[in-house]
Amino acid sequence: MRRVEKRTVYAALGLVVLLVAGIGMVLLWGSQRSATTMHDRVQSIAAQLRCPVCQGESVADSPSGLAQSMRTLIRRELQRGKNSDQIKSYFVQRYGQWILLAPPASGLGAVVWFGPPLALLLGLIGVGVLAFSWSRRRPAPSMLRMDRSQDPEDAALELDRLDQMPDERSISAEEYRLRRDALERKGAGVSGPKDASAGKRSGTRIWPHVAALTAAALIIAGTISLAVQPRDSGPLNGSIPSSNPTPGRQTAGPSPVVKAANYAVAHPRNPAAWVRLGSVMLTHREYGGARRAFARAIHLDRQNEGARLGAAFLDIGRSRYRDALAQLTIVKRVDPSSARLWMLEGLANARLPGGHGRAIAAWKRFLALKPHSSLAPAVRGWISRLRQGAEVP
Amino acid sequence: MKRALWALPPVVALVVLFAVGFRHDPSSVPSPLVAKSAPAFHLRTPHGRAVSLGSLKGRPLVINFFASWCVACHTEQPAMVRAYQRWHRRVTFLGVIFEDSTPAATSWLRSTGSGWPALVDPSGQMAVDYGVTGVPETFFIDPRGKIVHKTLYLTPARLRTGIDRILRRA
């Protein structure tokens, strides 16, 4: 009776779990906005396509030029009256099935679609079988060693247990016969109430509960993963968040730093992308990130002017004037007509002992190159200060 | 002995995996466009000269997607220049600027001594039409306008193989 009650409880628990999982799935699907505007429709299709020049990003999320071209193409085809399947088919003809983030439900792709639910089902069956076997498990044979001091009632209980053992194949037929004879000799020829042994068993087992909870967790996790699977390219999927995220930035679109970072990650061999990221981070006062970005650009292209100038600027900011001048020496070889070069050269020299003459010469070159720059008046002021022996602020 | 037998299936699986994997040429990109008609294009050179696939039919064609910022493009360029010098009377060479500024791309191309025109693909339409996944990528198109071969990084040998294949169909 008691076992029947337990099964009822487990069945009820299972139903509750399935109900919760089902409601969760419905809510998740329901939360997916239907694409109504043209922008939504473009994004919806783009989210299903892999960005060819990125790593793990969809066309919807990627800031790369090729992804932008693909989005433009999607928009144009939608305006021409093509539907989602036709547009996806166009990309598959160009790039193959690989371009689709969600693989087809046929051939090898079927493994991805049907593998997880199948594995979930097999797992649940396995857990169920284990739970069932645990709930019926008897004490080990060694525990049934005859205690010569046991009373006839205990012997009757042991005999009852022993009667169930051959079915479980836990002892040999010979051992079974010997033990039964011994128990009968003890004077316990009557069978005790079976429920008594069942009652003793039920007190200490936790495994069925653990198994039931595991099964519940698996069902919920599996169902949610199945519900989420088709939408695996969220708005920030694969993107690098800014080190100083602003609340609400996600809904307002990625920040310039995130955009530049995404572009650099999408084009890891493009030094210009890293220079751009460094410059954007510099304007956002993310100096550590800017330094790393410029270093990456220099690693890719040792003579990259933008990266060297950015690194020199950061060196001056950290009072490492000689390091800055070393960076600028390389720029001089590449592009001696760079006004920014001479501006930074002047700034670095002005702070070095005995460097005032070189600073004045550098700033004069800056003024020759950019006489109408907004910085020109300030630079003229600095030159006159240095000539008077004063320090530059 | 039994333990050794247990190890056999993974070893066999690994051998099969390597046998299949090492047969693939990493420079050969499986493109669904190979053996199909090349997508049409109508683009212009930086000087404004219109170039279309239709106007080039009848001659074997090598289309190279490139960018001045692309290190691999710099590496393969000498091979392209030599191939151009050798075959330009029989084969048409075209460059397509990919995600790069036109002045930067053309000045770099000129500095390498190339004699073939570069096409400006401002919207990236041609790159998408050709299923380009990055640069450099090179397509070999036979005189009937069919894509015969596509490769990533060019070496003199790969270039010769590709050109031989389109010349055989000429």
Side-chain angles (χ1 to χ4, degrees):
Chain A
M1 181 63 192
R2 194 160 180 170
R3 187 179 296 169
V4 172
E5 283 172 2
K6 262 192 194 172
R7 283 180 183 170
T8 311
V9 169
Y10 285 138
L13 181 66
L15 275 175
V16 168
V17 165
L18 283 174
L19 200 65
V20 168
I23 291 169
M25 205 159 74
V26 168
L27 287 175
L28 275 169
W29 272 329
S31 66
Q32 199 172 9
R33 277 190 309 148
S34 57
T36 48
T37 65
M38 176 58 81
H39 176 75
D40 287 345
R41 291 177 69 197
V42 171
Q43 287 297 107
S44 165
I45 297 171
Q48 297 170 57
L49 300 172
R50 189 188 305 279
C51 168
V53 294
C54 317
Q55 292 177 344
E57 259 189 312
S58 74
V59 169
D61 302 328
S62 169
S64 74
L66 193 64
Q68 282 172 22
S69 302
M70 290 169 84
R71 289 196 292 269
T72 307
L73 199 146
I74 293 168
R75 179 182 296 273
R76 198 183 60 217
E77 294 303 308
L78 282 172
Q79 284 165 345
R80 283 179 183 171
K82 297 250 176 85
N83 63 32
S84 168
D85 287 340
Q86 288 170 319
I87 294 169
K88 281 192 282 183
S89 164
Y90 162 84
F91 285 107
V92 169
Q93 282 167 17
R94 264 63 188 173
Y95 289 95
Q97 290 288 346
W98 165 87
I99 198 74
L100 299 176
L101 277 170
S106 60
L108 201 62
V111 176
V112 181
W113 282 103
F114 301 116
L118 195 67
L120 183 64
L121 189 67
L122 288 176
L124 286 178
I125 291 171
V127 168
V129 168
L130 276 175
F132 185 71
S133 73
W134 281 331
S135 69
R136 289 182 59 84
R137 185 171 286 175
R138 303 290 178 272
S142 60
M143 293 173 69
L144 292 174
R145 297 284 176 220
M146 283 290 294
D147 183 354
R148 296 195 182 282
S149 65
Q150 71 183 3
D151 59 30
E153 195 178 340
D154 285 341
L157 287 173
E158 290 297 340
L159 189 61
D160 184 34
R161 288 177 187 168
L162 193 65
D163 279 339
Q164 295 175 36
M165 275 190 172
D167 296 332
E168 295 180 8
R169 300 186 182 189
S170 55
I171 59 171
S172 68
E174 181 63 20
E175 191 180 351
Y176 167 71
R177 193 178 58 77
L178 288 171
R179 288 195 190 178
R180 187 171 179 82
D181 287 347
L183 284 167
E184 281 176 348
R185 273 199 303 277
K186 190 80 179 170
V190 289
S191 298
K194 289 192 176 183
D195 281 352
S197 61
K200 280 191 178 180
R201 281 198 305 272
S202 62
T204 56
R205 294 214 178 85
I206 58 161
W207 290 110
H209 304 281
V210 173
L213 283 173
T214 310
L218 275 172
I219 291 172
I220 291 173
T223 318
I224 288 174
S225 77
L226 286 173
V228 172
Q229 198 174 24
R231 301 185 297 138
D232 67 340
S233 53
L236 288 178
N237 184 30
S239 63
I240 295 178
S242 163
S243 59
N244 182 24
T246 307
R249 185 176 279 176
Q250 186 174 335
T251 52
S255 73
V257 174
V258 173
K259 274 186 186 173
N262 280 335
Y263 189 79
V265 170
H267 303 85
R269 307 293 304 168
N270 182 358
W274 292 102
V275 172
R276 184 178 141 201
L277 174 61
S279 306
V280 172
M281 291 185 110
L282 206 58
T283 56
H284 284 73
R285 299 184 178 184
E286 295 184 13
Y287 299 121
R291 180 176 311 286
R292 285 191 292 276
F294 289 136
R296 179 69 185 260
I298 291 169
H299 175 73
L300 292 169
D301 176 9
R302 298 196 66 76
Q303 297 193 324
N304 190 292
E305 184 186 340
R308 293 282 180 188
L309 288 172
F313 181 84
L314 287 166
D315 283 336
I316 292 170
R318 292 198 302 169
S319 307
R320 296 189 172 181
Y321 307 118
R322 297 200 186 279
D323 290 345
L325 289 172
Q327 301 279 11
L328 297 172
T329 306
I330 295 163
V331 182
K332 271 185 222 166
R333 286 188 216 132
V334 181
D335 183 14
S337 62
S338 164
R340 287 183 299 169
L341 156 70
W342 297 110
M343 165 58 82
L344 293 174
E345 175 98 0
L347 282 173
N349 275 311
R351 284 162 173 79
L352 279 174
H356 287 189
R358 288 192 296 275
I360 290 170
W363 280 333
K364 277 186 173 176
R365 288 195 72 163
F366 171 81
L367 290 172
L369 288 164
K370 294 270 183 186
H372 306 297
S373 160
S374 57
L375 284 171
V379 171
R380 288 191 189 98
W382 296 342
I383 290 173
S384 62
R385 281 179 71 89
L386 287 183
R387 280 183 176 149
Q388 291 163 11
E391 292 293 318
V392 175
Chain B
M1 185 60 192
K2 271 189 176 177
R3 281 185 182 177
L5 282 176
W6 277 110
L8 199 60
V11 170
V12 170
L14 273 178
V15 168
V16 171
L17 193 69
F18 286 142
V20 173
F22 284 131
R23 285 178 63 198
H24 288 293
D25 177 4
S27 69
S28 171
V29 188
S31 167
L33 289 171
V34 171
K36 290 187 182 154
S37 292
F41 59 85
H42 300 270
L43 294 178
R44 289 185 180 276
T45 65
H47 305 294
R49 182 163 67 91
V51 178
S52 69
L53 181 67
S55 68
L56 299 168
K57 270 192 180 164
R59 263 171 76 89
L61 178 62
V62 174
I63 299 180
N64 175 244
F65 287 85
F66 76 100
S68 65
W69 48 259
C70 154
V71 178
C73 303
H74 290 235
T75 312
E76 71 170 21
Q77 191 68 0
M80 272 288 281
V81 171
R82 280 196 295 277
Y84 174 77
Q85 287 164 353
R86 182 174 170 189
W87 280 297
H88 74 277
R89 290 180 203 286
R90 298 173 64 193
V91 178
T92 302
F93 287 76
L94 273 183
V96 181
I97 300 168
F98 179 85
E99 291 194 22
D100 198 2
S101 76
T102 305
T106 47
S107 83
W108 172 72
L109 205 58
R110 215 172 24 248
S111 72
T112 62
S114 72
W116 60 89
L119 301 181
V120 184
D121 183 20
S123 64
Q125 169 78 54
M126 184 174 172
V128 178
D129 277 345
Y130 276 75
V132 170
T133 56
V135 280
E137 276 188 19
T138 306
F139 292 80
F140 298 87
I141 299 168
D142 74 8
R144 284 184 292 274
K146 191 173 277 186
I147 295 176
V148 174
H149 187 53
K150 173 190 176 184
T151 188
L152 291 181
Y153 310 107
L154 285 174
T155 60
R158 285 177 191 154
L159 202 44
R160 195 166 49 246
T161 306
I163 290 175
D164 281 348
R165 287 171 73 172
I166 49 176
L167 282 175
R168 250 182 268 141
R169 292 168 179 245

